[in-house]
Amino acid sequence: MSADYVLETQNLIKEFKGFTAVDDVSLKIQRGHIHALIGPNGAGKTTVFNLLTKFLTPTSGRILYNGHDITSLQSAAIARKGVVRSFQISAVFPHLSVLENVRIALQRKEGNSFHFWKSEKVLDKLNDRAVELLESVGLGNFAGAKTVDLSYGHKRALEIATTLALEPELMLLDEPTQGMGHEDVDVVADLIKKVSKDRTILMVEHNLHVVSKLADQITVLQRGAILTEGDYETVSADPRVQEAYLGVAVEENGA
Amino acid sequence: MKISKLSIVLLGVALVAPFVMYPVLLMKILCFALFASAFNLLLGFVGLLSFGHAIFLGTGGYVTGYLVMNSGLSPLLGILAGTAAAAALGAVYGKLSVKREGIYFAMVTLALAQLMFFVFLQAPFTGGENGLQGIPRGFLFGFIDLSDNLNMYYFVLAIFLFGFWVINRTIHSPFGQVLKAIRENEPRATSLGYNVNDYKWAAFVISAALSGLAGSTKTLVFQLASLTDVHWHMSGEVVLMTLVGGMGTIFGPLVGAAAIVGLQNFLSGGELGNYVHIIMGLIFIVCVLAFRSGIVGEIQKIVKRNFS
């Protein structure tokens, strides 16, 4: 049964002092889906991400990945298993070159990351693969550039290329289009669509246009708990969702 | 690693320097340059500010001094033993400190260093307040008399070059790439599957070992191991050298060490001898306020602006 689901959470709870940020969340992420996590600010979306990748430790509940309990694993170990996350603010290495950013991810599987006596030239054999990945996100011409000089949209694309380098089974994207102009939003949305082949994506996203375009399944969070789940039509028709989220969002977009 | 023209020129200068300047001063500069470079590996390339690095310098010095004096170890073996002792201490202290970040890391390293300071103060084999004096320099490979300052100088230069090479190689290695990634964005490095604390720890041990190498060598040069080398003043001085020279640059710590040691030497000989600390403090303030990237860092900026 659980083989259909890449990731499952069972009754996940995270309590901070006097405040329950994530309240009894049981998620099921189906293999091959783009699954969106939406909800108003403070609904606990990012906290859920942090729990899934163990940047925070859950107060109680279980996390299953491919049917195996990964609740007790460390962040880096979860990443090595194939669950790789991005961050709300663009997660790049600003003073490394664009190529080096991707290469850092490729390098891990080489098993030479503690070899301080070797020249970094041994990493050059990864360059072709790195350039390939950069081309797949439209950054082929920027390989030699310093990352800090890239535009915001390009940084997000680089982040996705870096994540792809790990060939993750499950990608967790935290607000991939946040703070972007319209053009960049569409570029990144197309990119997500493109890379979603052969893998599963769980994303936190505020932009409902993007969600409606991409998501196969949507979970709406409110005050840390699941309000409702379903595809875009089902969820957007739910009056509770309209009240809690869509109404507010429409106003915001109109402003 | 590309051997630049600059390195060749510097090497040439280093080879003829003892004929122009007092070799003991030059050796002192080389030892501190190695110490500051080792420290800079942590501060400049991993982003960890250790405030107890003198303990590794001093531990290397005491162990080498004691073994050479009391067990009749040859100078090379003595230095190896001192370096190994500093590395071992670094392995323990690193384990205890790398989990902390920022000011907490600095405080933990300071506290641990103070702990060892009292060991060196109280332990029967360290000579207490007097330290270990009259440590023989001995013979290198059994026949090169190191009590000759010129011989000793080239020995120290060779050690320095070795240590400096190790640091450079580490920075430009696959391992160094991961360190830079951690410095740039630690959560991201974690999310790519790197156990960042393991990498920080390994860098800490390398840095401690090379600081120990510098201390062991310095002990043979001055034939002395004393509390000065394990005191927290010394931990502060290496921060000063690195910042004045340029943190995160290859040659910065070298220039910083030369500037600070040279200045101390110059001042202590003259009428301003009593004001050394005040002058050093002023330099530090000016540096932090006006030349934040240090001497080498500022030069690099100027070169970049005008020639590229």
Side-chain angles (χ1 to χ4, degrees), chain A residues 55 75-76 79-80 84-87 91-96 100 104-105 107-108 112-123 159 162-163 166, chain B residues 1-2 165-166 169-178 180-196 198-199 202 206 304:
Chain A
F55 278 75
S75 298
R80 286 196 293 272
V84 182
R85 70 170 295 178
S86 74
F87 295 82
V92 290
F93 304 113
H95 295 100
L96 300 183
E100 282 174 320
I104 285 286
Q107 183 189 336
R108 209 198 66 224
N112 58 12
S113 293
F114 277 106
H115 294 186
F116 65 85
W117 56 90
K118 279 190 189 154
S119 164
E120 61 195 347
K121 287 205 185 79
V122 300
L123 299 173
E159 196 185 330
T162 307
T163 306
L166 298 176
Chain B
M1 194 184 2
K2 244 190 347 207
W165 177 82
V166 171
R169 178 36 71 88
T170 303
I171 291 166
H172 298 289
S173 70
F175 175 68
Q177 281 288 319
V178 179
K180 281 176 230 166
I182 292 171
R183 177 193 65 187
E184 295 281 302
N185 192 334
E186 187 173 330
R188 181 54 169 167
T190 303
S191 84
L192 294 180
Y194 290 106
N195 286 322
V196 294
D198 294 352
Y199 289 86
I206 295 171
K304 223 178 188 176

Coordinates of all heavy atoms in Angstrom, one line a residue, chain A residues 55 75-76 79-80 84-87 91-96 100 104-105 107-108 112-123 159 162-163 166, chain B residues 1-2 165-166 169-178 180-196 198-199 202 206 304:
Chain A
F55 N 15.4 19.9 10.0 CA 16.0 21.1 10.5 C 15.3 21.5 11.8 O 15.8 22.3 12.6 CB 15.9 22.2 9.5 CG 16.9 22.1 8.4 CD1 16.9 21.2 7.4 CD2 18.0 23.0 8.5 CE1 17.9 21.1 6.5 CE2 19.0 22.9 7.5 CZ 19.0 22.0 6.5
S75 N 19.6 15.6 9.4 CA 19.3 16.4 8.1 C 20.1 15.8 7.0 O 19.6 15.5 5.9 CB 19.6 17.8 8.3 OG 18.8 18.4 9.3
A76 N 21.4 15.8 7.2 CA 22.3 15.4 6.1 C 22.0 14.0 5.6 O 22.1 13.7 4.4 CB 23.8 15.5 6.5
A79 N 19.0 13.9 3.4 CA 19.4 14.4 2.1 C 20.0 13.3 1.3 O 19.8 13.1 0.1 CB 20.3 15.6 2.2
R80 N 20.9 12.5 1.9 CA 21.6 11.5 1.2 C 20.6 10.4 0.8 O 20.9 9.7 -0.2 CB 22.7 10.9 2.1 CG 23.9 11.9 2.2 CD 25.1 11.2 2.7 NE 25.0 10.7 4.1 CZ 25.3 11.5 5.1 NH1 25.7 12.7 5.0 NH2 25.1 11.0 6.4
V84 N 15.6 16.1 -0.9 CA 16.4 17.3 -0.9 C 15.5 18.6 -1.0 O 14.6 18.6 -1.7 CB 17.4 17.3 -2.1 CG1 18.3 18.6 -2.1 CG2 18.3 16.1 -2.1
R85 N 15.9 19.5 -0.1 CA 15.0 20.7 0.0 C 15.6 21.9 -0.5 O 16.9 22.0 -0.7 CB 14.7 20.9 1.5 CG 15.9 21.4 2.3 CD 15.5 21.9 3.7 NE 14.6 23.1 3.6 CZ 14.1 23.6 4.7 NH1 14.4 23.2 5.9 NH2 13.4 24.7 4.6
S86 N 14.8 22.9 -0.8 CA 15.3 24.3 -1.1 C 14.8 25.1 0.0 O 14.1 24.7 0.9 CB 14.8 24.8 -2.4 OG 13.4 25.1 -2.3
F87 N 15.2 26.4 0.0 CA 14.8 27.3 1.1 C 14.1 28.5 0.6 O 14.1 28.8 -0.6 CB 16.1 27.8 1.8 CG 16.9 26.7 2.5 CD1 17.7 25.9 1.8 CD2 16.7 26.5 3.8 CE1 18.4 24.9 2.4 CE2 17.4 25.5 4.5 CZ 18.2 24.7 3.8
A91 N 18.9 29.6 -1.9 CA 20.0 28.9 -1.2 C 21.1 28.6 -2.2 O 21.1 27.6 -2.9 CB 19.5 27.6 -0.6
V92 N 22.0 29.6 -2.4 CA 23.1 29.3 -3.3 C 24.4 29.6 -2.5 O 24.3 30.1 -1.3 CB 23.1 30.2 -4.5 CG1 22.0 29.8 -5.4 CG2 22.9 31.7 -4.1
F93 N 25.5 29.3 -3.1 CA 26.8 29.7 -2.4 C 27.3 30.9 -3.2 O 27.9 30.8 -4.2 CB 27.8 28.5 -2.5 CG 27.3 27.3 -1.9 CD1 27.0 26.1 -2.7 CD2 27.0 27.2 -0.6 CE1 26.5 25.0 -2.1 CE2 26.5 26.0 0.0 CZ 26.2 24.9 -0.8
P94 N 27.1 32.1 -2.6 CA 27.2 33.3 -3.4 C 28.6 33.6 -4.0 O 28.7 34.1 -5.1 CB 26.8 34.5 -2.5 CG 26.7 33.8 -1.1 CD 26.5 32.4 -1.3
H95 N 29.7 33.3 -3.2 CA 31.0 33.6 -3.7 C 31.7 32.5 -4.4 O 32.9 32.5 -4.6 CB 31.8 34.2 -2.6 CG 31.3 35.5 -2.1 ND1 30.5 35.6 -1.0 CD2 31.3 36.8 -2.7 CE1 30.1 36.9 -0.8 NE2 30.5 37.6 -1.8
L96 N 31.0 31.5 -4.8 CA 31.5 30.4 -5.6 C 31.0 30.7 -7.0 O 30.0 31.4 -7.2 CB 31.1 29.0 -5.1 CG 31.6 28.6 -3.7 CD1 31.1 27.2 -3.4 CD2 33.1 28.8 -3.6
E100 N 30.7 25.9 -9.9 CA 31.1 25.3 -8.6 C 29.9 25.0 -7.7 O 29.9 24.0 -7.0 CB 32.0 26.2 -7.8 CG 33.5 26.2 -8.4 CD 34.3 27.3 -7.7 OE1 33.9 28.4 -7.5 OE2 35.5 27.0 -7.4
I104 N 29.5 21.2 -6.3 CA 29.5 20.8 -4.8 C 28.5 19.7 -4.6 O 28.7 18.8 -3.8 CB 29.1 22.1 -4.0 CG1 30.2 23.1 -3.9 CG2 28.6 21.7 -2.6 CD1 31.3 22.6 -3.0
A105 N 27.3 19.8 -5.3 CA 26.3 18.8 -5.1 C 26.8 17.5 -5.8 O 26.6 16.4 -5.2 CB 25.0 19.2 -5.7
Q107 N 29.8 16.5 -6.3 CA 31.0 16.0 -5.6 C 30.7 15.0 -4.5 O 31.5 14.1 -4.3 CB 31.7 17.3 -5.0 CG 33.0 17.0 -4.4 CD 33.5 18.2 -3.6 OE1 33.2 19.3 -3.9 NE2 34.4 18.0 -2.6
R108 N 29.6 15.2 -3.8 CA 29.4 14.4 -2.6 C 29.4 12.9 -2.9 O 30.0 12.1 -2.2 CB 28.0 14.7 -2.0 CG 28.0 14.5 -0.5 CD 26.6 14.4 0.0 NE 26.0 13.2 -0.5 CZ 24.7 13.2 -0.9 NH1 24.0 14.3 -1.0 NH2 24.2 12.1 -1.4
N112 N 35.2 11.9 -2.2 CA 36.5 12.5 -2.0 C 36.4 13.8 -1.2 O 37.4 14.6 -1.2 CB 37.3 12.7 -3.3 CG 36.6 13.6 -4.2 OD1 35.6 14.2 -3.9 ND2 37.0 13.7 -5.5
S113 N 35.3 14.0 -0.6 CA 35.1 15.3 0.0 C 35.9 15.6 1.3 O 35.9 16.7 1.8 CB 33.6 15.5 0.3 OG 32.8 15.5 -0.9
F114 N 36.5 14.6 1.8 CA 37.5 14.8 2.9 C 38.9 14.8 2.5 O 39.8 15.0 3.3 CB 37.3 13.7 4.0 CG 36.1 14.0 4.9 CD1 35.0 13.3 4.9 CD2 36.2 15.1 5.9 CE1 33.9 13.6 5.7 CE2 35.2 15.4 6.7 CZ 34.0 14.6 6.7
H115 N 39.1 14.7 1.2 CA 40.5 14.6 0.7 C 41.2 15.9 0.6 O 41.1 16.6 -0.5 CB 40.5 13.9 -0.7 CG 40.1 12.4 -0.6 ND1 40.1 11.5 -1.7 CD2 39.6 11.7 0.5 CE1 39.7 10.4 -1.3 NE2 39.4 10.4 0.0
F116 N 41.8 16.3 1.7 CA 42.4 17.7 1.7 C 43.7 17.7 1.0 O 44.3 18.8 0.8 CB 42.4 18.2 3.1 CG 43.4 17.5 4.0 CD1 44.7 17.8 4.1 CD2 42.9 16.5 4.8 CE1 45.5 17.1 4.9 CE2 43.7 15.8 5.7 CZ 45.0 16.1 5.7
W117 N 44.3 16.5 0.7 CA 45.6 16.5 0.1 C 45.6 16.4 -1.4 O 46.6 16.5 -2.0 CB 46.4 15.2 0.7 CG 45.6 14.0 0.4 CD1 45.7 13.2 -0.7 CD2 44.6 13.4 1.3 NE1 44.9 12.1 -0.6 CE2 44.2 12.2 0.6 CE3 44.1 13.7 2.5 CZ2 43.2 11.4 1.2 CZ3 43.1 12.9 3.1 CH2 42.7 11.7 2.4
K118 N 44.4 16.3 -1.9 CA 44.3 16.2 -3.4 C 44.0 17.6 -4.0 O 43.4 18.5 -3.3 CB 43.1 15.3 -3.8 CG 43.5 13.9 -3.7 CD 42.4 13.0 -4.3 CE 42.6 11.6 -4.1 NZ 41.4 10.8 -4.1
S119 N 44.4 17.8 -5.2 CA 44.1 19.1 -5.9 C 42.6 19.1 -6.3 O 42.1 18.1 -6.6 CB 45.0 19.2 -7.1 OG 44.4 20.2 -7.9
E120 N 42.1 20.3 -6.3 CA 40.7 20.4 -6.7 C 40.5 20.1 -8.2 O 39.4 19.9 -8.6 CB 40.1 21.8 -6.4 CG 40.8 22.9 -7.1 CD 40.5 24.3 -6.5 OE1 39.5 24.4 -5.7 OE2 41.2 25.2 -6.8
K121 N 41.6 19.9 -8.9 CA 41.5 19.5 -10.3 C 40.8 18.2 -10.5 O 40.2 17.9 -11.5 CB 42.9 19.4 -10.9 CG 43.5 20.8 -11.1 CD 44.5 20.8 -12.3 CE 45.2 22.1 -12.4 NZ 46.3 22.3 -11.4
V122 N 40.8 17.3 -9.4 CA 40.1 16.0 -9.6 C 38.6 16.2 -9.7 O 37.9 15.3 -10.2 CB 40.4 15.1 -8.3 CG1 41.9 14.8 -8.2 CG2 39.8 15.7 -7.1
L123 N 38.2 17.4 -9.4 CA 36.7 17.7 -9.6 C 36.4 18.1 -11.0 O 35.2 18.1 -11.4 CB 36.3 18.8 -8.6 CG 36.5 18.5 -7.1 CD1 36.2 19.8 -6.3 CD2 35.6 17.4 -6.7
E159 N 19.6 27.1 -8.1 CA 19.3 26.3 -6.9 C 18.6 25.0 -7.3 O 18.9 23.9 -6.8 CB 18.3 27.1 -6.0 CG 18.2 26.6 -4.6 CD 17.1 27.4 -3.9 OE1 17.0 28.6 -4.2 OE2 16.5 26.8 -3.0
T162 N 21.2 22.7 -8.8 CA 22.0 22.1 -7.8 C 21.3 21.0 -7.1 O 21.9 19.9 -6.8 CB 22.4 23.2 -6.7 OG1 23.0 24.3 -7.4 CG2 23.4 22.6 -5.7
T163 N 20.0 21.2 -6.8 CA 19.2 20.1 -6.2 C 19.1 18.9 -7.2 O 19.2 17.8 -6.7 CB 17.8 20.7 -5.9 OG1 18.0 21.8 -5.1 CG2 17.0 19.7 -5.2
L166 N 21.7 16.1 -7.3 CA 21.7 15.0 -6.3 C 20.7 13.9 -6.8 O 20.6 12.9 -6.1 CB 21.3 15.5 -5.0 CG 22.2 16.6 -4.3 CD1 21.6 17.1 -3.0 CD2 23.5 16.0 -4.0
Chain B
M1 N 48.1 23.2 -8.2 CA 48.2 24.6 -7.8 C 49.2 25.3 -8.7 O 50.3 24.8 -8.9 CB 48.7 24.6 -6.3 CG 48.5 26.0 -5.7 SD 49.2 26.1 -4.1 CE 49.9 24.5 -3.7
K2 N 48.8 26.4 -9.2 CA 49.7 27.2 -10.0 C 50.8 27.9 -9.2 O 50.5 28.5 -8.2 CB 49.0 28.2 -10.8 CG 49.0 27.9 -12.3 CD 48.5 29.0 -13.2 CE 47.7 30.1 -12.5 NZ 46.7 30.7 -13.4
W165 N 52.2 25.0 2.2 CA 51.8 24.2 1.1 C 50.6 23.4 1.5 O 49.6 23.3 0.8 CB 52.9 23.3 0.6 CG 52.5 22.4 -0.5 CD1 52.4 22.7 -1.8 CD2 52.1 21.0 -0.3 NE1 51.9 21.6 -2.5 CE2 51.7 20.5 -1.6 CE3 51.9 20.1 0.8 CZ2 51.2 19.3 -1.8 CZ3 51.5 18.8 0.5 CH2 51.1 18.4 -0.8
V166 N 50.6 22.8 2.7 CA 49.5 22.0 3.2 C 48.2 22.8 3.3 O 47.1 22.4 2.8 CB 49.8 21.3 4.6 CG1 48.5 20.7 5.2 CG2 50.9 20.3 4.5
R169 N 47.0 23.6 -0.2 CA 46.4 22.4 -0.9 C 45.0 22.2 -0.3 O 44.1 21.9 -1.0 CB 47.4 21.3 -0.7 CG 46.9 19.9 -1.2 CD 46.2 20.0 -2.5 NE 46.9 20.4 -3.6 CZ 47.5 19.5 -4.4 NH1 47.5 18.3 -4.2 NH2 48.1 20.0 -5.5
T170 N 45.0 22.3 1.1 CA 43.7 22.1 1.7 C 42.6 23.0 1.2 O 41.5 22.6 0.9 CB 43.8 22.3 3.2 OG1 44.8 21.4 3.7 CG2 42.5 22.0 4.0
I171 N 43.0 24.3 1.0 CA 42.0 25.3 0.5 C 41.6 24.9 -0.9 O 40.4 25.1 -1.3 CB 42.7 26.7 0.6 CG1 42.8 27.1 2.0 CG2 41.8 27.7 -0.2 CD1 43.7 28.3 2.2
H172 N 42.6 24.5 -1.7 CA 42.2 24.2 -3.1 C 42.1 22.7 -3.3 O 42.7 22.1 -4.3 CB 43.3 24.7 -4.0 CG 43.4 26.2 -3.9 ND1 42.5 27.0 -4.5 CD2 44.4 27.0 -3.4 CE1 42.8 28.3 -4.2 NE2 43.9 28.3 -3.6
S173 N 41.4 22.0 -2.4 CA 41.1 20.6 -2.6 C 39.6 20.3 -2.6 O 38.8 21.2 -2.4 CB 41.7 19.8 -1.4 OG 41.0 20.1 -0.2
P174 N 39.2 19.1 -2.9 CA 37.8 18.8 -2.8 C 37.2 19.1 -1.5 O 36.1 19.7 -1.3 CB 37.7 17.3 -3.1 CG 39.0 17.0 -3.9 CD 40.0 18.0 -3.4
F175 N 38.0 18.8 -0.4 CA 37.6 19.2 0.9 C 37.5 20.7 1.1 O 36.5 21.1 1.7 CB 38.7 18.6 1.9 CG 38.5 19.0 3.3 CD1 37.5 18.4 4.1 CD2 39.4 19.8 4.0 CE1 37.3 18.7 5.4 CE2 39.3 20.1 5.3 CZ 38.2 19.6 6.0
G176 N 38.4 21.4 0.5 CA 38.3 22.9 0.6 C 37.1 23.4 0.0 O 36.5 24.4 0.5
Q177 N 36.7 22.8 -1.1 CA 35.4 23.2 -1.8 C 34.2 23.1 -0.8 O 33.4 24.0 -0.7 CB 35.2 22.4 -3.0 CG 36.0 22.8 -4.2 CD 35.5 24.1 -4.8 OE1 34.3 24.3 -4.9 NE2 36.4 24.9 -5.2
V178 N 34.2 22.0 -0.1 CA 33.1 21.8 0.8 C 33.2 22.8 2.0 O 32.1 23.4 2.4 CB 33.1 20.4 1.4 CG1 31.9 20.2 2.4 CG2 33.0 19.4 0.3
K180 N 34.4 25.8 1.8 CA 33.9 27.1 1.3 C 32.4 27.1 1.2 O 31.7 28.1 1.5 CB 34.5 27.4 -0.1 CG 35.9 27.9 0.1 CD 36.6 28.1 -1.3 CE 37.9 27.4 -1.4 NZ 38.5 27.3 -2.7
A181 N 31.8 26.0 0.8 CA 30.3 25.9 0.7 C 29.7 26.1 2.1 O 28.7 26.8 2.2 CB 29.9 24.6 0.1
I182 N 30.3 25.5 3.1 CA 29.8 25.6 4.4 C 29.9 27.1 4.9 O 29.0 27.6 5.5 CB 30.6 24.7 5.4 CG1 30.3 23.3 5.1 CG2 30.2 25.0 6.9 CD1 31.1 22.3 5.8
R183 N 31.0 27.7 4.6 CA 31.2 29.1 5.0 C 30.1 30.0 4.3 O 29.6 30.9 4.9 CB 32.6 29.6 4.5 CG 32.9 31.1 4.8 CD 34.1 31.6 4.1 NE 34.0 31.5 2.7 CZ 34.9 31.8 1.8 NH1 36.1 32.0 2.2 NH2 34.7 31.7 0.5
E184 N 29.8 29.7 3.0 CA 28.9 30.5 2.2 C 27.5 30.3 2.7 O 26.7 31.2 2.7 CB 29.0 30.1 0.8 CG 30.4 30.5 0.2 CD 30.5 32.0 -0.1 OE1 29.6 32.4 -0.9 OE2 31.4 32.6 0.4
N185 N 27.1 29.1 2.9 CA 25.7 28.8 3.2 C 25.6 27.4 3.9 O 25.4 26.4 3.3 CB 24.9 28.8 1.9 CG 23.4 28.8 2.2 OD1 22.9 28.4 3.3 ND2 22.6 29.4 1.3
E186 N 25.7 27.5 5.2 CA 25.7 26.2 6.0 C 24.4 25.4 5.8 O 24.5 24.2 5.6 CB 26.0 26.5 7.4 CG 26.3 25.2 8.2 CD 26.8 25.5 9.6 OE1 27.4 26.5 9.9 OE2 26.5 24.7 10.5
P187 N 23.2 26.0 6.0 CA 22.0 25.1 5.9 C 21.9 24.4 4.5 O 21.5 23.3 4.4 CB 20.9 26.1 6.1 CG 21.4 27.3 6.7 CD 22.9 27.3 6.3
R188 N 22.4 25.2 3.5 CA 22.3 24.6 2.1 C 23.3 23.4 2.0 O 23.0 22.4 1.4 CB 22.7 25.7 1.1 CG 22.6 25.2 -0.4 CD 21.3 24.6 -0.7 NE 21.1 24.3 -2.1 CZ 20.1 23.6 -2.6 NH1 19.3 22.9 -1.8 NH2 20.0 23.4 -3.9
A189 N 24.5 23.6 2.6 CA 25.4 22.5 2.5 C 24.8 21.2 3.2 O 25.0 20.1 2.7 CB 26.8 22.9 3.2
T190 N 24.2 21.5 4.3 CA 23.5 20.4 5.0 C 22.4 19.7 4.1 O 22.4 18.5 4.0 CB 22.8 20.9 6.3 OG1 23.8 21.5 7.1 CG2 22.2 19.7 7.1
S191 N 21.7 20.6 3.5 CA 20.6 20.1 2.7 C 21.1 19.3 1.4 O 20.3 18.6 0.8 CB 19.6 21.2 2.3 OG 20.0 21.8 1.1
L192 N 22.4 19.5 1.1 CA 23.0 18.8 0.0 C 23.5 17.4 0.5 O 24.1 16.7 -0.2 CB 24.0 19.6 -0.7 CG 23.6 20.8 -1.5 CD1 24.7 21.5 -2.1 CD2 22.5 20.5 -2.5
G193 N 23.4 17.2 1.8 CA 23.8 15.9 2.3 C 25.2 15.9 3.0 O 25.7 14.8 3.4
Y194 N 25.7 17.1 3.3 CA 27.0 17.1 4.0 C 26.8 17.2 5.5 O 26.1 18.1 5.9 CB 27.9 18.3 3.5 CG 28.4 18.1 2.1 CD1 27.8 18.8 1.0 CD2 29.4 17.2 1.8 CE1 28.3 18.7 -0.3 CE2 29.8 17.0 0.5 CZ 29.3 17.8 -0.5 OH 29.7 17.6 -1.8
N195 N 27.5 16.4 6.3 CA 27.5 16.6 7.7 C 28.4 17.7 8.0 O 29.6 17.4 8.2 CB 27.9 15.3 8.4 CG 26.8 14.2 8.3 OD1 25.7 14.5 8.5 ND2 27.3 13.0 8.1
V196 N 27.9 18.9 8.1 CA 28.9 20.0 8.2 C 29.8 20.0 9.4 O 30.9 20.4 9.3 CB 28.1 21.4 8.1 CG1 27.4 21.6 6.8 CG2 27.1 21.5 9.2
D198 N 31.2 17.5 10.7 CA 32.4 16.6 10.5 C 33.5 17.4 9.7 O 34.7 17.2 10.0 CB 32.0 15.3 9.7 CG 31.1 14.4 10.5 OD1 30.9 14.7 11.7 OD2 30.5 13.5 10.0
Y199 N 33.0 18.2 8.8 CA 34.0 18.9 7.9 C 34.6 20.0 8.8 O 35.8 20.2 8.7 CB 33.3 19.5 6.7 CG 32.9 18.4 5.7 CD1 31.7 17.7 5.8 CD2 33.8 18.1 4.7 CE1 31.4 16.7 5.0 CE2 33.5 17.1 3.8 CZ 32.2 16.4 4.0 OH 31.9 15.4 3.1
A202 N 37.2 18.4 10.9 CA 38.4 18.0 10.2 C 39.3 19.2 10.0 O 40.5 19.2 10.2 CB 38.1 17.3 8.9
I206 N 43.2 20.0 11.4 CA 44.3 20.4 10.5 C 44.9 21.7 11.0 O 46.1 21.9 11.1 CB 43.8 20.6 9.0 CG1 43.4 19.2 8.5 CG2 44.9 21.1 8.1 CD1 42.7 19.3 7.1
K304 N 42.3 44.7 -8.6 CA 41.1 44.4 -9.4 C 40.5 45.6 -10.1 O 40.1 45.5 -11.2 CB 40.1 43.7 -8.4 CG 39.4 42.5 -9.0 CD 38.5 41.9 -7.9 CE 37.9 40.6 -8.4 NZ 37.1 40.0 -7.4

